[in-house]
Amino acid sequence: KKCDELRYGIEALGAVLRPVFVTMSLSASLVAWTRPKSHVALVYQEDDDDITVVTKDRVEKGAANALAIVGVILLTTCCVVGLYWCGCTSCLRGYMMFSSATLLGILGGGLFATVLVKAEIHLDVFTLFIIIINWAAVGVAAIYSPFKFGLPRSATRAYLISAAVVLAWHLSTYPPVTTWCALIGLALYDLFAVLAPCGPLNALVQLMATRREPLPGLLYEAQIDTDEYIDETDRISSQADSRQTHGNIDNIEDNIPIQYHHRNSKSNDDSDDLDTNNKRDPVKLGLGDFVFFSVLVANDAKQQGFVPAAAATLACLIGLATTLILLTFSKRALPALPISIALGVTASFFADACLLPMLSLFVHSGLRV
């Protein structure tokens, strides 16, 4: 039985890390290729002379911008908690569908147009408009009502990864110092929101555990085939205690922390639900984690090149795996961002300060690695 649990843990870890790696790779590649310009509205704008130079003035302005970004996310999260507490799940679902359509249609259309210009592909405005409208409409249907429209689960996953790539591409237009400050600020906010007794995400998790009502949002379901891990002994013992494991990683718009919990069966005498209760739910990841990891890697790819981006990618994956491992020993929900962001930022600065100069020295001295 312990061997089966270990095999399931390895499968779950792979199912979580694969889509995150794909999202980070696509985002970094697009940002490095298209080099999007900064047109975002910030509290303080950085000078355009040399944005790679870090000065005290830029750090102060970046911290102020990051504080504003975290404040907006905090306000949005509190509004979501309030609506969910009032039972306005229909309003939340409508808001999420509208925001998804805007993300895929407007922001996705901007990315698509940039790619067409970069690739020198000519397309008339009417055709481009039709493509974007259909892309956004099918995306909303695939994310929120895939079974109603007969869409496969693979389409839902593809659209969720696409939405994360689009948002990460647009967020990568922030100035570098503001991006670093925002990532660090969001990691600290995640710690407070999840672990503090008065944290909004902690309150949301408790509300969801009490009501057992799903929260509509952008969730990536990493489905795992668990039939091979189920034996007859587990089927019999699950009548008394269903040992179903449910992984949930959500962030930003559906900013719920990583959590695993055991759910007891509703009735010990209900043998019809025995197989269902014994099977594990798919591991669910909120797209906020996808987006922020991708922003970190894309920022490295745009400003510093392949080596820091690769180091940050590996560090983020190690941090996410570490968080999932710690989660198996924890009795409460854990934030997903802090460990991965801390390792990613550290690896990025280490690669920029040590690895790149060392590789340049090897190249100039004619050494082969």
Side-chain angles (χ1 to χ4, degrees), residues 175-359:
V177 177
T178 296
T179 301
W180 293 119
C181 292
L183 290 172
I184 295 173
L186 287 169
L188 296 176
Y189 162 76
D190 206 19
L191 278 174
F192 159 76
V194 176
L195 301 181
C198 58
L201 298 184
N202 187 23
L204 185 59
V205 168
Q206 294 178 1
L207 279 175
M208 293 180 64
T210 302
R211 295 188 177 183
R212 297 187 179 278
E213 185 178 2
L215 179 67
L218 298 175
L219 296 175
Y220 183 97
E221 291 191 2
Q223 187 69 44
I224 304 172
D225 186 9
T226 60
D227 291 341
E228 57 180 312
Y229 305 116
I230 300 173
D231 55 26
E232 188 64 25
T233 303
D234 292 333
R235 295 179 186 275
I236 297 175
S237 61
S238 63
Q239 291 184 2
D241 182 15
S242 175
R243 303 192 62 182
Q244 176 183 6
T245 303
H246 180 192
N248 195 355
I249 308 176
D250 302 294
N251 248 298
I252 195 169
E253 292 187 28
D254 22 55
N255 201 351
I256 306 168
I258 303 179
Q259 54 178 326
Y260 281 93
H261 63 272
H262 299 286
R263 183 172 64 192
N264 295 328
S265 54
K266 296 181 180 179
S267 172
N268 293 338
D269 299 328
D270 190 0
S271 59
D272 294 336
D273 296 335
L274 194 54
D275 279 350
T276 303
N277 288 335
N278 189 69
K279 292 184 179 180
R280 295 177 174 92
D281 286 343
V283 181
K284 298 180 180 179
L285 303 89
L287 287 196
D289 297 329
F290 285 71
V291 171
F292 292 131
F293 297 157
S294 300
V295 169
L296 192 155
V297 176
N299 189 57
D300 280 335
K302 181 174 68 172
Q303 301 297 332
Q304 299 169 318
F306 172 78
V307 174
T313 300
L314 181 60
C316 287
L317 294 177
I318 293 175
L320 184 57
T322 303
T323 304
L324 291 172
I325 293 173
L326 291 177
L327 193 61
T328 61
F329 302 100
S330 177
K331 301 299 182 181
R332 59 168 302 169
L334 294 177
L337 288 180
I339 296 179
S340 295
I341 294 298
L343 291 179
V345 171
T346 302
S348 176
F349 281 102
F350 174 77
D352 184 53
C354 299
L355 289 182
L356 287 181
M358 183 178 65
L359 292 176

Side-chain angles (χ1 to χ4, degrees), residues 92-111:
L92 284 175
R93 184 176 181 83
Y95 161 73
M96 294 304 301
M97 293 179 68
F98 174 77
S99 62
S100 299
T102 303
L103 172 62
L104 293 172
I106 299 178
L107 300 185
L111 173 58

Side-chain angles (χ1 to χ4, degrees), residues 125-144:
V125 176
F126 179 76
T127 303
L128 178 63
F129 180 76
I130 294 298
I131 292 175
I132 293 175
I133 289 296
N134 283 275
W135 161 262
V138 176
V140 173
I143 293 173
Y144 294 98

Side-chain angles (χ1 to χ4, degrees), residues 2 22 27 61 84 158 287 321 337:
K2 291 183 178 180
V22 170
S27 301
K61 292 181 178 180
Y84 186 80
L287 287 196
L337 288 180

